[in-house]
Amino acid sequence: MKKIYCIVLQIVLLAWFFLDMTGFYFGGHCLVIQSYNDDGIFFLIYFAAVILFITQEKTGKWFVAIFTALWFITQFICHEWYTIFNGGFMGGLEGKIKHFQGTIHWTAVEGRYIPDVYHTILHILILSVFASTVIYIHNTRNRNNIAA
């Protein structure tokens, strides 16, 4: 895995996550509501991680890998957990359904929370960045071991 592929994925994730900072509507439909009050600090941390990866690779690659792993776990608990177990730790099921009812969904099931389109794509991108970074770390370790 080349560094440039990791950077491209990281920038795509950063751009997608930025939609959460501003909210994104098109044609009268809401992809994601504006959530910079709730998620702004996480956006800044991820932005700093990407810059660190670009400028200080040895530290940055680990920071991106650890942050995206923790970020995915958090997202899983906040979204997929509710879908799988019909409840969760971050408030009640009805509140979760109501909070995201105005966003674009793949499908709707009465009384069940299913992550919306924005969050599904976000989770795929987070996992893609995590996987590509781990592969990059593995490949650079192998290159360093061969050179030694």
Side-chain angles (χ1 to χ4, degrees):
M1 175 75 59
K2 293 185 177 183
K3 183 177 180 179
I4 190 67
Y5 299 142
C6 292
I7 292 170
V8 168
L9 278 172
Q10 291 169 12
I11 290 172
V12 169
L13 174 56
L14 193 62
W16 189 257
F17 191 25
F18 185 74
L19 297 177
D20 186 45
M21 300 300 101
T22 62
F24 189 77
Y25 298 81
F26 60 94
H29 300 284
C30 177
L31 179 65
V32 62
I33 58 174
Q34 183 181 48
S35 296
Y36 69 87
N37 286 336
D38 297 326
D39 298 335
I41 189 70
F42 298 105
F43 178 81
L44 293 175
I45 292 169
Y46 181 62
F47 181 75
V50 171
I51 298 301
L52 195 60
F53 182 84
I54 292 169
T55 61
Q56 301 294 320
E57 178 187 318
K58 283 186 178 189
T59 306
K61 64 186 177 185
W62 290 103
F63 198 84
V64 168
I66 291 166
F67 182 78
T68 53
L70 294 174
W71 188 13
F72 182 77
I73 291 167
T74 303
Q75 288 293 312
F76 183 87
I77 290 169
C78 292
H79 294 278
E80 282 78 10
W81 191 277
Y82 281 81
T83 303
I84 296 166
F85 298 107
N86 215 29
F89 310 107
M90 313 290 285
L93 179 64
E94 294 303 318
K96 180 71 82 175
I97 292 169
K98 185 176 180 182
H99 183 75
F100 291 104
Q101 73 184 3
T103 59
I104 300 169
H105 286 79
W106 302 104
T107 188
V109 177
E110 186 68 31
R112 299 236 3 138
Y113 171 74
I114 298 176
D116 57 10
V117 170
Y118 172 81
H119 284 95
T120 304
I121 293 171
L122 177 69
H123 302 162
I124 292 167
L125 288 172
I126 293 169
L127 283 175
S128 298
V129 167
F130 175 73
S132 68
T133 305
V134 168
I135 292 168
Y136 180 75
I137 289 169
H138 177 73
N139 289 349
T140 56
R141 286 181 115 184
N142 283 345
R143 260 187 262 131
N144 292 341
N145 288 341
I146 291 171

